[in-house]
Structures are given as structure tokens and as C-alpha cells.
Amino acid sequence: MQEILLLSGPNLDLLGTRSPEIYGSMTLEEHVEAARSRAAAAGLSLRHLQSNFEGDLIEAVHAARETSAGIIINAGALTHSSWALGDALAIFSGPKVELHLSNPAAREPFRHVSTLARVVDGSLAGFGALGYVLAVDAVAALLAAR
Ligand code: DQA
């Protein structure tokens, strides 16, 4: 069975209590479970890693070259600063989807830059919890088209 790796960056471990007016009230675990169910319905497994450390996420992307068919990444604020994480994702050859609960383009100017946009197949932002399900659908469709 092909695996999707779902990566969650800094501060996403606090979803549920962190700015619920922006990010909603669901916990990260609840988002992961929704994504995992959707993946299972498409015949895919889903593994999740959350880290507050940039290097952990970079190493997870490196390791995914051996284990995972596709990557969904909500890199949190590293989206706006980490050229290194973007470079790591560029090395991964499977489908890649950038995901955000909120719509960074409609927020503070520093969130308008994405260092990942240049290396992913596409981005989903502003759909709240639905984004996790849509991201799985996107990776499943891209895998099926290969
Ligand atoms: C986020 C948007 C980022 O700008 C922010 O730093 C986050 C969450 C989102 O899911 O909307 O941590 O990635």
C-alpha cells in the first residue's frame, strides 16, 4: 500500500487552543484522523509527523524518499522563512501539496511569501479542516495520474 506522509510544522501541535478564531477548534490529532480516513478510502496509508524543529522536518522529507509516495505539508510559519525546507522538498520526486488552514494571502504581509510554493505541485489554503481531506484527494489523484 502506498503511503502519504503528512508533515506538520511549528505550533500546529497546539491546534484546538491556538487562535481558534483563525485555525478552528479541531485538534491536530482530529485533522490527522480525518486525513487518514480519507487516505484509507482511497487505498492509501497515511503517516503523520509534527515537529517544532526545522531540521526534523527536513530529515523527514529526506527519509520519505524511501518510504512515501506523496507528501502533504503544513509547515506553519516555516512556510514563510525556510528556504532549506523548500530545497528538501525539491529533492522528493512524488506529489507534494502545501496545506494551510487559514488563507495566508489574506493575512499579514510576512505570510504572503511561501518558500514552498516553488517546489510543490499545488497549494490549498483557507479551507479550514476541509483542507486536510482535499489535500489527500489531491495527492491520491496525482498518484493515480502517474
Ligand atoms: C498556517 C499559516 C501560517 O502562516 C502560520 O504560521 C501557521 C499556520 C495555517 O495552517 O493556516 O502556523 O500554516
Side-chain angles (χ1 to χ4, degrees), residues 31-141:
H31 290 300
V32 171
E33 275 318 306
R36 186 168 283 132
S37 302
R38 191 68 161 207
L44 300 166
S45 65
L46 184 138
R47 188 160 56 87
H48 175 244
L49 173 80
Q50 189 277 330
S51 178
N52 294 319
F53 299 94
E54 183 178 10
D56 284 351
L57 296 166
I58 290 169
E59 289 188 349
V61 172
H62 293 177
R65 289 177 301 158
E66 304 298 327
T67 59
S68 309
I71 294 178
I72 298 167
I73 182 162
N74 184 345
L78 289 175
T79 304
H80 317 302
S81 64
S82 180
W83 297 101
L85 185 53
D87 279 357
L89 284 164
I91 299 165
F92 182 84
S93 60
K96 292 160 273 194
V97 173
E98 175 186 352
L99 173 64
H100 302 284
L101 287 157
S102 68
N103 180 2
R107 298 179 63 194
E108 304 96 314
F110 79 88
R111 297 185 203 275
H112 298 179
V113 171
S114 168
T115 61
L116 312 185
R118 69 196 163 96
V119 296
V120 293
D121 292 278
S123 305
L124 282 161
F127 294 104
L130 180 60
Y132 281 82
V133 171
L134 295 175
V136 170
D137 286 351
V139 170

